[in-house]
Amino acid sequence: MVKPGTDDVWRWLDAVPDPEIPVISIVDLGIVRDVAWAGDSLEVTLTPTYSGCPATAVIELSVETALRERGLDHVTLKRQIAPPWTTDWLSDKGRARLEEYGIAPPNPAGGPDRCPRCQSADLERISQFGSTPCKAQWRCRDCLEPFDYFKCI
Amino acid sequence: MQAEFPEFLLRMGDNTLVLGHRLSEWCGKGPVLEEDIALANTALDLIGQTQMWLGLAGEVEGKGRSADDLAMLRDAWDFRCCLLVQQPNGDFGQTILRQYLFDQWHLLMLGALADSRDDRIAAIAAKAEKEVTYHTERSAELVVGLGDGTEESRGRMQAALDLLYPFVGELFVGDAVDAALAAEGVAPDPAQLRAPYDTALTATMSAATLTVPDSRFAHRGGRDGSRHSEHLGHLLAQMQWLQRAYPGATW
């Protein structure tokens, strides 16, 4: 087969959803660090989000499956932990999609700016942990709805 | 350095493994749902860090043992975790106080290791430090909330501090392993962490209206494996039985 360009591979990977937050892709999440050809083998470098994230293995499998479906038989996955993953790597597209989905995007100030449902800024934290290690639970004091906040690390 | 290097990595990984297991014992039993989830998520971070430390330990040891082999197929006397993390959960206050005492040390240790001359150690430490930063924020906040709380919660927190403080000193007593690694710039001399630890501990306990015991008496024997607590064997029996009974079992 003709070796696809790395731009195409990036585009394909941008269609691979995060297993826990399917509205954003693994590229939006910033965990795909590099895509490069090494001879006939395609090397994809991934940086895990949290050390204990159970989704890491699922993500690796989804990447491999997605690339095999495109006809790439020789794929090598590399796990790179330095520099450590940070929420700064989340794309603007990813941040907007998180908010539309009801998850407040990470904010360097250490908490959400506004309620993802009603936009109110009158908020309180319920717990530093939500349904996954990457999220915290907050509540809006105006619409009274609880919501997830994607923690900033 | 040949023998000291994996030994040090086992100390880091065994601490996070055993504490991670202890926290996971709370799963489904937390006092409120949010705390149950928080304890399980903290456990998950610690187990993830264990995979990195023990994975590297197995690699540098060069005997072909994986992180799983090291976690599941060693007996108590080969473990190198401090006595503090072996202590039973007790009530929620005791669990949270143990967590704070460990987190505060862990945060300082990882901060120092992030500057290690060994790139692999520095990379693991830099990653783990981010997670341990919010572990420490959370446990400190809860210690303050419960200590400076009701008469009942304050009494329980003070009892937990009196019970657990004698296990803190071990974290700062170095030995030949530490000296060898410190000489190479791989890891800090543990004694150097004592002053910043005490400063942070005093501030947190003072905000929590709790009194740190006067005595610096320290139980020892966990991090060098010479005398573990009676609790470690029981913990390992539960953690390892499946892999021991059905060797190689996977799902």
Side-chain angles (χ1 to χ4, degrees), chain A residues 55-126:
Chain A
T56 306
V58 180
I59 289 171
E60 289 177 352
L61 189 66
S62 327
V63 168
E64 209 165 340
T65 310
L67 296 179
R68 279 189 195 284
E69 279 168 2
R70 297 284 183 166
L72 295 172
D73 291 327
H74 302 289
V75 176
T76 318
L77 297 181
K78 285 169 51 179
R79 214 183 261 198
Q80 177 184 307
I81 62 165
W85 179 78
T86 160
T87 35
D88 294 347
W89 294 347
L90 220 74
S91 70
D92 288 340
K93 168 165 75 86
R95 296 173 62 90
R97 288 209 181 148
L98 276 179
E99 195 162 3
E100 280 166 35
Y101 188 60
I103 300 174
N107 185 10
D113 274 337
R114 54 179 186 259
C115 168
R117 293 172 205 277
C118 75
Q119 320 303 316
S120 162
D122 190 10
L123 311 169
E124 64 178 340
R125 192 180 72 190
I126 302 173

Side-chain angles (χ1 to χ4, degrees), chain A residues 31-53:
Chain A
I31 60 177
V32 182
R33 301 315 298 162
D34 196 26
V35 173
W37 283 102
D40 284 335
S41 181
L42 182 73
E43 280 186 356
V44 179
T45 306
L46 300 172
T47 291
T49 53
Y50 284 75
S51 312
C53 182

Side-chain angles (χ1 to χ4, degrees), chain B residues 38-127:
Chain B
L39 290 165
N41 272 315
T42 308
L44 205 55
D45 284 341
L46 293 173
I47 300 297
Q49 293 167 16
T50 304
Q51 284 176 328
M52 296 192 284
W53 290 123
L54 295 188
L56 183 56
E59 197 182 308
V60 298
E61 178 193 61
K63 294 180 190 164
R65 294 199 285 183
S66 67
D68 283 348
D69 294 337
L70 287 169
M72 297 300 168
L73 303 177
R74 276 180 305 150
D75 237 318
W77 47 81
D78 292 325
F79 269 73
R80 294 293 179 263
C81 46
C82 62
L83 295 170
L84 177 66
V85 297
Q86 305 175 18
Q87 299 308 304
N89 286 336
D91 60 15
F92 181 70
Q94 189 176 319
T95 292
I96 292 302
L97 196 86
R98 181 188 61 201
Q99 193 64 31
Y100 171 73
L101 294 174
F102 181 79
D103 286 344
Q104 191 65 68
W105 169 82
H106 202 194
L107 186 62
L108 291 165
M109 185 61 167
L110 293 171
L113 290 178
D115 294 327
S116 171
R117 198 174 285 176
D118 185 281
D119 292 345
R120 298 164 298 180
I121 287 186
I124 297 173
K127 173 133 196 71

